[in-house]
Amino acid sequence: MTRGSQRERDRERAAARVGGKGKNAEDGLTPEQRRERDGKALQEKAAKKAAQAAAASSGGGAGGKGTAKK
């Protein structure tokens, strides 16, 4: 009988972990609209990453990936 309450707690924890994240098929968009939205988000993300890479390469060598603590 004690296992039943454990299952319920596990379900609550799993639901809390997922939260509001995840895919939501009920967003009211058609597949075409979803593709456009996602494509635009990917382009913005790539542009932001390219800008950061350009800033890191022109910023000198301090604080880059090559620094290691000893």
Side-chain angles (χ1 to χ4, degrees):
M1 285 305 257
T2 61
R3 182 65 181 151
S5 64
Q6 180 65 39
R7 280 192 193 117
E8 187 61 33
R9 268 189 268 140
D10 287 344
R11 285 187 188 120
E12 289 173 5
R13 287 180 60 226
R17 255 194 314 268
V18 173
K21 300 179 192 174
K23 295 186 178 181
N24 186 6
E26 301 174 7
D27 56 2
L29 298 176
T30 64
E32 182 63 29
Q33 291 171 326
R34 197 172 295 120
R35 269 192 293 275
E36 289 177 14
R37 179 196 64 192
D38 294 347
K40 186 183 287 187
L42 285 173
Q43 287 175 349
E44 291 173 2
K45 184 176 179 181
K48 183 177 178 183
K49 189 172 184 179
Q52 286 179 343
S57 66
S58 66
K65 282 187 175 180
T67 60
K69 283 188 174 179
K70 290 187 177 183

